[in-house]
Amino acid sequence: GMQKNMTDSFTDNDLFTSMRISPANSALAKLQHGDLDIAEENETNEKPLTDSVFQLIKKMDFIEITYPEVSFAVNIHFQGEETKNNAAIIPAVMGRYSPYNELLAGSFYESDSVNKIIVSQSLLKKLKIVLRTENKTELNKKDSTEGFRLVEPETLIGEKIELITAIIDPTAMMSGMMGRQQTQKMPLKDFSTTLEIGGIMEQQMFAGNLFAQNLLIPMHTGQQIPKVDFTNVFDFFGDNESDYSSIYVRVGDPSELTPVRKQIEEMGFSVFALADQLEEFKSIFWILNSILAVIGTIALLVAALGIINTMVMSIMERTREIGVMKSIGGSENEIRSIFFVEAAVIGLLGGIFGLILGWLVTRVANLVMRMNTPMGTTDIDLFYFPGWLILGAIVFSIVISLGAGLYPAIRAARIDPVKALRHD
């Protein structure tokens, strides 16, 4: 179940068709590839991501969508509540693809110049708003005491939301240069922009950007919002000659990701695709599956011994009956078949009841997990019962039972009918 959740999340978010380009020796590239020592000095020159490079990448084969990734800090005011978050500038064309094409309420903005934004469940939670859904119909006592409100998602569509960004304050800067300002306060001031909520998206396990996407702004609208022009925090680590800190690239098919990636890496840039991480997750699941297989093998051995014991006891109790059957013409094959069928029935019933019991246990486990899941997160089913697994479990149970019933069946078929008829 966990493995399916992981794979489905990659598929639903189209992570098998997307990648991120950054300068090869940038701090962002090191962080994406697991090198957390971003303070280390670059030994080689960093190749900048200029606009000319972006235009070159844009013309490559197989590329459907590409755009420079830009995010900036905003202070959000909405219905008397306030919180801080990052706003991501995303083109309207991304609304055609997962996870943006299926929103909880409203719709993705239709053009890059509309004054609408997309907010997430997580952001609304920071504003003390809980969405009423099928799985969330009332607030618990803790939420109520902390001032959370339960709101229908559709009622928030069209509501105005205020975004506060920081811009350079020329007056404060001049005062500081002339020595009249003695404080260490940055020469910045607030700028207010009012936009409209156009849609609400469900919080995804993986976001399109390195940082969580809780607030999406159309491309042209976001570019027009006055703000301090730092693409991201990594610009502070050194001189940045790049026009962009990173570029998002999307191809049409997962099979096209590798050739495009190779071509970009040959240009001297770092390419990061979350699809690479799936292989690491699979290796972890392989280890977990191996541990579970060992436990399952022990359980199967115990079960097989139990079946052998049951069948042997059945033979001992029915020795006289076997003698009667053989005395009236029953062959060894027929006797053997009778006990094989009994063993198969034991395996069939054991498999069916085992699946039912297993399913009931998983329902209880999921219920307990969801009761302890933080508010606003998506319900995740930890267990998965595909049709092939259900059928395979039943067939496997029958095969194990037949294997366990082999010795008792052979023993029953070899019973001497004369001795069997004398058996009390």
Side-chain angles (χ1 to χ4, degrees):
M2 291 187 291
Q3 189 169 355
K4 180 178 183 297
N5 289 329
M6 189 72 65
T7 305
D8 287 353
S9 180
F10 274 75
T11 304
D12 294 342
N13 288 276
D14 284 339
L15 297 181
F16 292 117
T17 58
S18 62
M19 54 185 160
R20 182 163 294 99
I21 304 168
S22 57
N25 297 297
S26 67
L28 179 59
K30 291 182 179 181
L31 181 60
Q32 288 175 338
H33 289 87
D35 185 359
L36 299 181
D37 189 13
I38 58 178
E40 181 183 353
E41 294 183 2
N42 293 334
E43 297 180 358
T44 59
N45 294 327
E46 175 185 315
K47 189 173 182 179
L49 276 176
T50 60
D51 188 65
S52 59
V53 172
F54 171 67
Q55 296 300 328
L56 185 63
I57 294 173
K58 195 174 182 180
K59 296 177 182 178
M60 287 182 180
D61 294 334
F62 307 127
I63 292 182
E64 281 194 353
I65 301 172
T66 181
Y67 60 88
E69 290 189 309
V70 178
S71 62
F72 56 94
V74 293
N75 196 2
I76 304 166
H77 293 224
F78 183 65
Q79 295 186 352
E81 297 294 337
E82 177 182 350
T83 188
K84 292 179 174 61
N85 214 293
N86 275 341
I89 297 179
I90 303 292
V93 68
M94 291 297 290
R96 303 175 189 172
Y97 308 102
S98 296
Y100 310 115
N101 58 349
E102 295 182 2
L103 302 181
L104 289 175
S107 59
F108 206 80
Y109 39 79
E110 60 277 7
S111 75
D112 288 327
S113 57
V114 295
N115 291 325
K116 293 183 179 180
I117 62 172
I118 307 297
V119 297
S120 71
Q121 277 183 293
S122 178
L123 177 61
L124 292 174
K125 179 187 173 183
K126 293 180 180 179
L127 295 167
K128 295 190 175 182
I129 294 176
V130 180
L131 299 181
R132 185 188 297 275
T133 62
E134 294 180 358
N135 299 319
K136 189 69 176 181
T137 57
E138 61 181 14
L139 293 176
N140 56 41
K141 185 177 180 180
K142 181 176 180 293
D143 299 335
S144 300
T145 56
E146 292 181 357
F148 284 88
R149 296 181 292 126
L150 191 64
V151 177
E152 295 286 348
E154 291 77 12
T155 61
L156 299 177
I157 304 302
E159 290 290 316
K160 302 295 182 182
I161 187 168
E162 184 182 12
L163 306 182
I164 308 296
T165 54
I167 62 174
I168 299 295
D169 185 0
T171 305
M173 184 176 293
M174 290 298 297
S175 298
M177 293 175 61
M178 298 176 65
R180 291 200 299 264
Q181 188 169 341
Q182 301 299 323
T183 65
Q184 298 298 319
K185 185 178 179 181
M186 293 289 289
L188 302 174
K189 67 177 181 177
D190 293 341
F191 185 88
S192 174
T193 303
T194 301
L195 299 174
E196 181 181 309
I197 296 179
I200 302 173
M201 62 181 178
E202 185 177 358
Q203 189 64 36
Q204 303 296 321
M205 185 176 296
F206 294 98
N209 282 330
L210 179 64
F211 304 104
Q213 293 180 321
N214 290 322
L215 195 155
L216 308 181
I217 302 179
M219 184 70 72
H220 182 71
T221 304
Q223 291 171 347
Q224 298 302 311
I225 296 177
K227 54 188 174 295
V228 176
D229 193 18
F230 286 115
T231 307
N232 62 59
V233 60
F234 297 106
D235 292 342
F236 289 104
F237 284 101
D239 296 332
N240 189 359
E241 299 176 0
S242 298
D243 293 329
Y244 313 115
S245 63
S246 62
I247 296 175
Y248 173 88
V249 173
R250 177 192 172 87
V251 296
D253 188 83
S255 62
E256 299 167 349
L257 189 69
T258 300
V260 173
R261 175 178 186 165
K262 184 178 180 181
Q263 189 176 356
I264 294 173
E265 286 178 338
E266 289 176 351
M267 295 170 60
F269 297 103
S270 174
V271 180
F272 174 77
L274 277 173
D276 297 340
Q277 308 306 307
L278 184 61
E279 296 303 319
E280 296 182 15
F281 291 134
K282 285 183 177 179
S283 64
I284 295 174
F285 284 121
W286 184 86
I287 295 173
L288 292 175
N289 287 335
S290 300
I291 296 172
L292 293 174
V294 172
I295 298 173
T297 301
I298 296 172
L300 284 174
L301 288 174
V302 174
L305 290 174
I307 294 172
I308 293 173
N309 180 65
T310 301
M311 297 296 292
V312 170
M313 292 299 296
S314 175
I315 293 169
M316 294 178 66
E317 292 173 356
R318 295 156 62 187
T319 301
R320 188 178 182 85
E321 180 184 336
I322 294 171
V324 171
M325 285 190 291
K326 296 192 76 173
S327 66
I328 60 176
S331 66
E332 289 189 2
N333 286 336
E334 289 172 334
I335 302 298
R336 193 180 298 113
S337 297
I338 290 174
F339 284 91
F340 265 131
V341 170
E342 288 185 6
V345 170
I346 291 175
L348 176 63
L349 295 178
I352 293 174
F353 283 106
L355 283 169
I356 294 173
L357 179 61
W359 183 83
L360 291 174
V361 170
T362 62
R363 295 307 95 189
V364 174
N366 275 330
L367 180 62
V368 172
M369 183 202 69
R370 289 171 183 173
M371 290 174 62
N372 293 278
T373 299
M375 180 185 57
T377 56
T378 306
D379 288 336
I380 298 176
D381 196 342
L382 290 177
F383 306 93
Y384 178 49
F385 288 85
W388 64 264
L389 180 61
I390 294 174
L391 182 61
I394 294 175
V395 172
F396 191 70
S397 297
I398 294 173
V399 171
I400 291 296
S401 296
L402 287 174
L406 181 62
Y407 167 72
I410 293 174
R411 177 173 173 172
R414 292 178 177 176
I415 290 179
D416 186 343
V418 177
K419 294 181 180 180
L421 290 172
R422 294 177 179 173
H423 191 273
D424 292 331

